[in-house]
Amino acid sequence: MAKEEGSPVEPRQRKKPKTPGSQEARAEKSRSLVPERASKYVSFQRFIKIFIGCLAAVISGMMHVFYLSAYHERKFWFSNRQELEREITFQGDSAIYYSYYKDMLKAPSFERGVYELTHNNKTVSLKTINAVQQMSLYPELIASVLYQATGSNEMIEPVYFYIGIVFGLQGIYVTALFVTSWLMSGTWLAGMLTVAWFLINRADTTRIEYSIPLRENWALPYFACQVAALTGYLKRNLNTYAERFCYLLLSASTSMFMMVWEYSHYVLFLQAVCLLLLDVFSEEQSDKVYEVYKIYMFSLFLGYLLQFENPALLVSPLLSLVGAVMLIKCLQLNGKKGTFVAKVIKVVKFYLVCTLPVTLNWIMKTFVPHKENEHMLKFLEVKFGLNVTKNFTLNWLLCQESLQAPSQDFFLRLTQSSLLPFYILVLIICLLSMTQVVFRRMNGKSQKETVTLQDGRIGERPEIIYHVIHTLILGSLAMLMEGLKFLWTPYVCMLAAFGVCSPELWMTLLKWLRLRTVHPILLALILSMAVPTIIGLSLWKEFFPRLITELTELQEFYDPDTVELMTWIKRQAPVAAVFAGSPQLMGVIKLCTGWMVTSLPLYSDDDLLKRNENIYQIYSKRSAEDIYKILTSYKANYLIVEDAICNEMGTMRGCRVKDLLDVANGHVVCEDGDKLIYSKYGRFCHEVKINYSPYVNYFTRVYWNRSYFVYKVNTVISFQS
């Protein structure tokens, strides 16, 4: 009976827990719903944060474009000018780039236009050049295709379309800087501060105001995108889709950067060195560094093909370094950590990394014929005091403002905008944290895979290590040559903004200070919000009125002498005439008139540099016969003497063109022991204006105004003086 009575009870006890209305089931259900609701709330909050940040980034880029457009219009009265006056605003090498854009639009077809540029014999007398390769004209090719393919020729003038593309790229530039600082700090407030500092210090962050078609104005936006993608790619715990997106963006931007600027491979070489040092500091990033090196190799190969087998890419230090590192990687030199063999292998790797790139570069230069940029090596020798020269071209390059050390005004401007002090603060904290990480590794303590805010170890993050090394290398070069500040200063803005907006950086500092009164995490969060807010309000109060004044102030670009000269050439000079003069003026003549010239303001070709030096002899103490022989050797029909060069009164006396020529020709003594070559001739640019024999036998003045004197080179002459 007991068994029979217990039998119906047992099933009821088993069913009781499965009853849906029981308290235990309800508790389990409620516990499962809480994390689900929390995860949805966190996902929604993250989506809102990303949406607002992306919106702020896009708006910042667009506002920068609108500002550049409005400022350019106010500065030049661009819309109220005639076409000739607009083109005169493009000076020097900028004029050459825009002239080829015009040539592409005039060509009967795109294929014909490309052929004429790659076999160009209508620009420089007695010389056929591949302008696409020699001047990196892919931006102009792309712009001309877009102008015609989009039907913009019916709605907008070519010049507005051209400068609109460049201004648009500048918008992408600041957007990429915004995203980079956002990725590093975790807050889009850092991006806003980056853009504010970039705009306030634009005299030191970009040359867009002075020379719109410059190659760097086309290239640096792609480099900024590449750095943003690399920053995201180097982050730890990145999901597969984000990592793949960053890799694709990194590949595309690196290839484009390589295509549009002839010096891009030097910039990427510096970046490759930074990644190599990152591999030393953060070994777990070795595979990612190797993948980036693959992108370099692909970009070099693609650039070599599209730039008509450009030998400069084969002998570049980037190819040698990347090839050496990939070769070492293929050797699979590994050993068990901590063993004697592993230590020996590390020494062997270090030796190979130091010697193999130099060896590969020497081999490439031995077997690959190249002449490109040889003057750069000679320039660096003289720049660093390893050699002394009287060569006109080298001394002229050394005298260029962009190739000299930055002035005190540069640092004063960065300090007044509060950029430099905060940059130094952020840099010091990151460097100290990186040093702390190195000592921890030397003591055998492993790095944490996930660094939290509470840890206060900002120096363990690989993207931070990369940016610190990168900014140190670029900063060191910028201290030597002011022109490189346009590479360095934008990343100063980005790094300083990231630091003051990063709770992790403040937490690192507070960990060292060991504050007890306030919870360090709370204080770090407060500082990361309060400090950028105070900086932003102070910048708004001091600099925003200046920016508004610049947009409301009407400036005037007035150069009637150059306009008159160009008008005379187009009306009076024969179509087949060849003009000689300073390279900067020759660029303007090529753009405004289309006439052939003897030289161009380009400094990457040895033959053109030699031509420039020979034509500049018109400002030296040479005889009329010597100048006549030089001009006729280049088939020049007209000579243009510029009063501004002939009577130049510069603050740096030794850097005037006529002084450099006197040194090169031995007409002055610059050092003890130099031999003085006495010249019985006066300065040619002065003597030819007097119109007496023998100058009138060789040259006939046909036009002059306050700035320019044009002389016809006589075709029949008696060489009796």
Side-chain angles (χ1 to χ4, degrees):
M1 285 295 295
K3 192 174 182 180
E4 291 177 0
E5 290 177 359
S7 59
V9 175
E10 192 173 2
R12 283 199 295 269
Q13 288 177 344
R14 284 196 300 268
K15 290 179 181 178
K16 188 175 180 180
K18 297 181 182 179
T19 305
S22 64
Q23 292 182 358
E24 290 83 352
R26 290 175 182 173
E28 289 179 7
K29 188 175 182 180
S30 62
R31 281 194 299 268
S32 64
L33 289 174
V34 170
E36 184 179 352
R37 290 175 181 173
S39 63
K40 287 184 178 179
Y41 175 75
V42 171
S43 299
F44 178 75
Q45 191 179 27
R46 186 179 180 185
F47 171 77
I48 292 296
K49 180 181 177 181
I50 293 176
F51 176 77
I52 294 175
C54 292
L55 186 63
V58 173
I59 291 176
S60 298
M62 293 177 64
M63 291 296 291
H64 185 60
V65 173
F66 293 148
Y67 175 82
L68 288 176
S69 180
Y71 181 79
H72 181 260
E73 174 63 28
R74 290 287 180 176
K75 183 177 181 180
F76 295 109
W77 287 21
F78 212 67
S79 60
N80 297 321
R81 297 287 184 181
Q82 299 294 325
E83 183 180 4
L84 179 59
E85 293 176 313
R86 292 175 183 172
E87 291 177 348
I88 287 175
T89 62
F90 300 120
Q91 298 288 324
D93 49 350
S94 296
I96 295 296
Y97 299 132
Y98 184 73
S99 71
Y100 287 123
Y101 167 72
K102 283 179 58 180
D103 292 344
M104 282 298 300
L105 295 182
K106 294 176 183 176
S109 65
F110 177 77
E111 293 78 8
R112 183 62 187 176
V114 172
Y115 178 82
E116 290 179 355
L117 290 185
T118 54
H119 303 79
N120 187 279
N121 57 2
K122 298 179 180 178
T123 299
V124 183
S125 61
L126 302 178
K127 188 176 178 66
T128 299
I129 60 176
N130 184 340
V132 179
Q133 174 192 348
Q134 202 157 346
M135 304 176 197
S136 302
L137 292 182
Y138 276 101
E140 282 67 35
L141 298 183
I142 296 172
S144 63
V145 169
L146 291 176
Y147 182 71
Q148 295 174 336
T150 58
S152 300
N153 50 349
E154 299 177 357
M155 298 179 292
I156 187 173
E157 296 180 49
V159 64
Y160 282 109
F161 186 84
Y162 185 87
I163 64 176
I165 293 179
V166 183
F167 288 162
L169 286 173
Q170 298 305 302
I172 295 174
Y173 193 1
V174 297
T175 300
L177 293 174
F178 183 110
V179 172
T180 305
S181 58
W182 180 14
L183 287 171
M184 295 171 65
S185 64
T187 172
W188 50 265
L189 287 176
M192 299 289 288
L193 187 57
T194 300
V195 175
W197 266 328
F198 183 92
L199 185 59
I200 290 169
N201 296 282
R202 69 186 186 283
D204 302 305
T205 56
T206 177
R207 279 193 280 207
I208 189 69
E209 296 177 9
Y210 312 104
S211 302
I212 293 176
L214 279 181
R215 297 301 83 178
E216 65 188 57
N217 293 334
W218 288 87
L220 291 183
Y222 294 111
F223 184 59
C225 292
Q226 193 253 15
V227 170
L230 181 60
T231 303
Y233 185 65
L234 292 175
K235 289 176 73 72
R236 291 195 182 106
N237 302 321
L238 200 65
N239 65 64
T240 305
Y241 295 105
E243 184 174 313
R244 191 173 300 169
F245 173 76
C246 290
Y247 185 83
L248 292 175
L249 179 59
L250 183 62
S251 303
S253 54
T254 303
S255 299
M256 286 299 298
F257 180 57
M258 186 78 72
M259 291 303 305
V260 298
W261 198 19
E262 59 185 318
Y263 299 118
S264 58
H265 56 92
Y266 293 111
V267 179
L268 292 176
F269 167 72
L270 298 178
Q271 189 182 69
V273 172
C274 297
L275 292 173
L276 186 62
L277 295 175
L278 170 64
D279 191 15
V280 174
F281 279 99
S282 183
E283 292 180 349
E284 70 273 11
Q285 296 295 316
S286 180
D287 291 338
K288 288 188 175 181
V289 170
Y290 184 64
E291 290 298 322
V292 177
Y293 280 3
K294 287 182 180 178
I295 294 175
Y296 290 153
M297 291 295 288
F298 172 76
S299 300
L300 282 167
F301 176 72
L302 184 64
Y304 177 74
L305 293 180
L306 294 180
Q307 293 180 14
F308 306 90
E309 300 181 357
N310 186 3
L313 296 180
L314 294 180
V315 298
S316 68
L318 175 64
L319 179 62
S320 302
L321 176 63
V322 173
V325 173
M326 294 183 73
L327 184 59
I328 295 170
K329 180 78 173 179
C330 292
L331 294 176
Q332 294 295 332
L333 297 175
N334 294 313
K336 190 175 181 181
K337 289 186 177 180
T339 62
F340 176 75
V341 176
K343 293 179 181 179
V344 172
I345 289 176
K346 280 188 176 181
V347 174
V348 173
K349 279 186 175 180
F350 178 78
Y351 174 77
L352 290 176
V353 167
C354 292
T355 58
L356 193 55
V358 178
T359 305
L360 288 178
N361 192 256
W362 178 80
I363 292 173
M364 294 301 293
K365 287 185 175 180
T366 302
F367 292 98
V368 177
H370 68 286
K371 294 182 179 179
E372 287 79 3
N373 302 328
E374 283 187 359
H375 62 281
M376 289 184 61
L377 297 176
K378 297 177 181 177
F379 164 78
L380 292 175
E381 288 181 1
V382 179
K383 176 72 176 179
F384 296 122
L386 301 176
N387 198 357
V388 179
T389 182
K390 294 183 180 180
N391 182 271
F392 169 80
T393 300
L394 292 178
N395 288 327
W396 184 82
L397 289 173
L398 284 169
C399 285
Q400 298 304 299
E401 184 179 354
S402 61
L403 297 177
Q404 295 180 355
S407 62
Q408 293 182 355
D409 293 339
F410 168 62
F411 301 103
L412 183 61
R413 289 191 298 268
L414 297 187
T415 304
Q416 288 175 342
S417 65
S418 72
L419 174 60
L420 191 59
F422 282 106
Y423 166 74
I424 293 175
L425 172 66
V426 172
L427 187 61
I428 290 174
I429 294 174
C430 291
L431 278 173
L432 290 177
S433 183
M434 287 170 55
T435 306
Q436 190 179 38
V437 171
V438 172
F439 279 110
R440 287 177 62 85
R441 287 182 56 189
M442 290 175 63
N443 293 331
K445 297 180 181 179
S446 59
Q447 290 181 322
K448 297 179 65 175
E449 291 186 5
T450 304
V451 180
T452 62
L453 176 60
Q454 191 173 0
D455 295 327
R457 298 179 189 172
I458 199 167
E460 285 190 6
R461 290 170 54 186
E463 69 272 22
I464 304 301
I465 298 173
Y466 158 72
H467 278 288
V468 169
I469 298 173
H470 199 183
T471 190
L472 285 174
I473 292 179
L474 290 179
S476 302
L477 294 175
M479 296 304 103
L480 297 174
M481 290 178 280
E482 188 174 5
L484 293 176
K485 71 180 181 181
F486 300 106
L487 271 174
W488 178 61
T489 314
Y491 297 100
V492 171
C493 300
M494 181 269 297
L495 197 68
F498 135 75
V500 298
C501 296
S502 173
E504 194 173 352
L505 183 131
W506 292 114
M507 188 65 192
T508 303
L509 179 61
L510 295 174
K511 275 275 190 178
W512 296 338
L513 298 177
R514 297 182 180 179
L515 294 179
R516 301 295 183 186
T517 55
V518 183
H519 197 283
I521 294 181
L522 178 61
L523 186 56
L525 292 171
I526 293 174
L527 288 173
S528 65
M529 294 291 291
V531 174
T533 302
I534 295 172
I535 295 173
L537 291 175
S538 63
L539 294 178
W540 179 278
K541 182 179 179 180
E542 183 175 356
F543 292 97
F544 183 73
R546 299 185 189 179
L547 298 178
I548 296 300
T549 303
E550 289 176 351
L551 294 182
T552 55
E553 223 175 32
L554 285 175
Q555 304 181 43
E556 186 173 7
F557 179 80
Y558 187 66
D559 191 2
D561 293 342
T562 305
V563 172
E564 291 174 4
L565 174 64
M566 300 302 148
T567 304
W568 180 86
I569 292 174
K570 294 173 73 173
R571 292 178 178 176
Q572 302 295 329
V575 177
V578 178
F579 283 83
S582 70
Q584 289 73 23
L585 181 60
M586 295 301 99
V588 179
I589 289 177
K590 172 63 178 68
L591 168 60
C592 297
T593 67
W595 266 244
M596 194 177 292
V597 295
T598 56
S599 58
L600 290 175
L602 299 171
Y603 314 113
S604 58
D605 182 88
D606 291 338
D607 181 62
L608 288 177
L609 286 173
K610 187 62 179 177
R611 281 176 176 245
N612 293 343
E613 181 179 353
N614 290 337
I615 299 300
Y616 265 132
Q617 295 297 326
I618 61 178
Y619 301 105
S620 68
K621 298 176 181 179
R622 299 281 292 272
S623 67
E625 182 180 350
D626 289 344
I627 302 300
Y628 181 83
K629 289 180 178 179
I630 291 174
L631 295 177
T632 52
S633 68
Y634 295 124
K635 302 296 181 182
N637 304 114
Y638 291 91
L639 167 66
I640 302 178
V641 175
E642 297 176 60
D643 202 52
I645 300 178
C646 188
N647 299 317
E648 184 180 2
M649 300 294 291
T651 54
M652 297 180 62
R653 182 177 177 82
C655 280
R656 298 182 301 182
V657 169
K658 51 188 177 183
D659 296 335
L660 296 174
L661 288 168
D662 290 345
V663 170
N665 296 334
H667 295 157
V668 296
V669 177
C670 59
E671 291 183 3
D672 295 338
D674 287 345
K675 184 178 180 181
L676 175 64
I677 302 175
Y678 176 73
S679 176
K680 62 181 180 180
Y681 306 104
R683 198 167 300 281
F684 176 83
C685 62
H686 288 151
E687 301 295 323
V688 74
K689 295 177 184 177
I690 303 177
N691 284 334
Y692 67 87
S693 181
Y695 296 93
V696 293
N697 298 334
Y698 296 100
F699 308 99
T700 303
R701 188 164 65 188
V702 292
Y703 174 81
W704 71 94
N705 59 28
R706 291 175 300 177
S707 302
Y708 304 103
F709 294 81
V710 182
Y711 297 88
K712 189 177 186 302
V713 181
N714 297 334
T715 53
V716 179
I717 186 68
S718 172
F719 287 97
Q720 296 178 0
S721 57

